Every structure is written in structure tokens, then in C-alpha cells.
Amino acid sequence: EGDVETQEVFKQIVSAMLINESVYMPVNHFIIPLEWDGRMMFSELWVDPDAEEERKKEDRDRRGGGGNTLKFLFKIDIQSLGFFDIIMTSREKSVDLRIFCPDKVAPFGKRIEQAIGEIFSRNGLTLETIQVRRLERPVALTEVFPKIFEGKNSINVKV
């Protein structure tokens, strides 16, 4: 509780803590702490807004086409379940998904693949590939976004 000005300042502080939009970082980084179904969950979301440009270059080289491509890395820690790493690439209405999960979730991989496929289908998306595998080691940011350090000596001035 407080006056409108104090509430606005608080919103800006929380937003700055949860969203990292740095001119030095070529990917957007979001932190998402929440309680879901009685479980504490902490998530990080990394989004490559330039994946579309990279994909268009690849498509032009291969077949002269292009598409709206986004690349995501979700890192999730769910209380009593463990760590998940999810890599998702989206091209228009087509999605590729790789889920790396804790040992106690891995036996349910086929069920998870089927349920996610149904959710995507109901929402008009095509799940091109889906893999649910045991998380043997955390997925490194540079594995998903290999060009992340290319801009380390420059500033991203895109508007």
C-alpha cells in the first residue's frame, strides 16, 4: 500500500530486477519467480530476437525462403521436482521442442510429449519435433545461442 508514485517506483524496480535488456547482451533475459499449484518455481527465460534474421539467411541459402523465427531457452527449477531445461524454436506456426528433465520426470517422457502435442494442436501450432530427455547436465547458454559473445566488443543499438 502507498501512494501512486511509490507504487509506480516499486513496479519499475521489480521490472528492472526481472527483465534484463542490456545493449551488451544480444538475447533478452527474464526472471520469473512464482508459486504454481502450491509449489515454488523459479524460471529464467532467454529469448533470441535475432533468430529470425539468422533463420532467413539460412533459408535463403538453402531454398530462397524465410520465416518468422524465435529461439527460446527456459531454465526452470520446480520445488520437489528439480531442474528443467527447455529449448524451443518457433517458425511461424511450426515449433521444435527439446525438454531436458529430472530423473523422476524422465519415465513420463512419452506422456509429456503426447500432452504437449495435443496442447500445441489445440492452439493451431504444429509440433515438428519434440524430445523429452533426462537432464544429464545443464544446457549452456552458448549451446543454444552460439553467437552470444559475438557482440561482446560492441553495443546493440537496434531500436
Side-chain angles (χ1 to χ4, degrees):
E1 301 282 328
D3 63 14
V4 175
E5 189 175 313
T6 304
Q7 289 177 2
E8 187 59 35
V9 169
F10 182 73
K11 276 191 211 176
Q12 290 174 358
I13 290 170
V14 170
S15 177
M17 288 178 359
L18 301 179
I19 301 171
N20 177 15
E21 294 180 298
S22 170
V23 293
Y24 298 103
M25 178 70 84
V27 296
N28 296 329
H29 180 223
F30 305 88
I31 298 173
I32 309 165
L34 60 103
E35 183 179 346
W36 179 46
D37 205 19
R39 292 184 175 171
M40 295 306 295
M41 185 170 94
F42 177 80
S43 304
E44 286 185 275
L45 169 61
W46 301 84
V47 181
D48 182 0
D50 295 328
E52 176 180 352
E53 293 170 21
E54 291 173 32
R55 183 65 184 185
K56 283 181 180 176
K57 288 178 197 168
E58 290 173 16
D59 285 350
R60 274 194 303 267
D61 292 345
R62 267 188 258 151
R63 56 184 143 78
N68 183 21
T69 302
L70 293 172
K71 194 171 220 177
F72 302 86
L73 171 62
F74 299 93
K75 290 189 157 286
I76 304 169
D77 180 12
I78 301 176
Q79 182 183 17
S80 77
L81 281 181
F83 293 96
F84 293 76
D85 281 347
I86 302 170
I87 302 168
M88 184 171 80
T89 305
S90 169
R91 282 178 292 295
E92 308 224 346
K93 292 190 177 246
S94 175
V95 178
D96 294 313
L97 191 63
R98 290 185 289 160
I99 301 171
F100 301 94
C101 59
D103 289 336
K104 58 174 94 173
V105 177
F108 304 100
K110 291 296 178 200
R111 246 200 266 170
I112 293 169
E113 289 175 4
Q114 181 181 4
I116 290 175
E118 290 171 5
I119 291 168
F120 277 57
S121 180
R122 278 196 313 261
N123 288 284
L125 299 169
T126 302
L127 195 56
E128 293 293 328
T129 59
I130 183 170
Q131 297 176 345
V132 177
R133 303 283 182 262
R134 185 173 66 83
L135 178 67
E136 295 180 17
R137 62 172 179 73
V139 174
L141 193 56
T142 53
E143 288 177 55
V144 180
F145 307 110
K147 296 183 178 188
I148 195 167
F149 292 118
E150 273 185 11
K152 105 178 176 184
N153 296 324
S154 63
I155 297 175
N156 181 0
V157 292
K158 246 190 349 185
V159 176

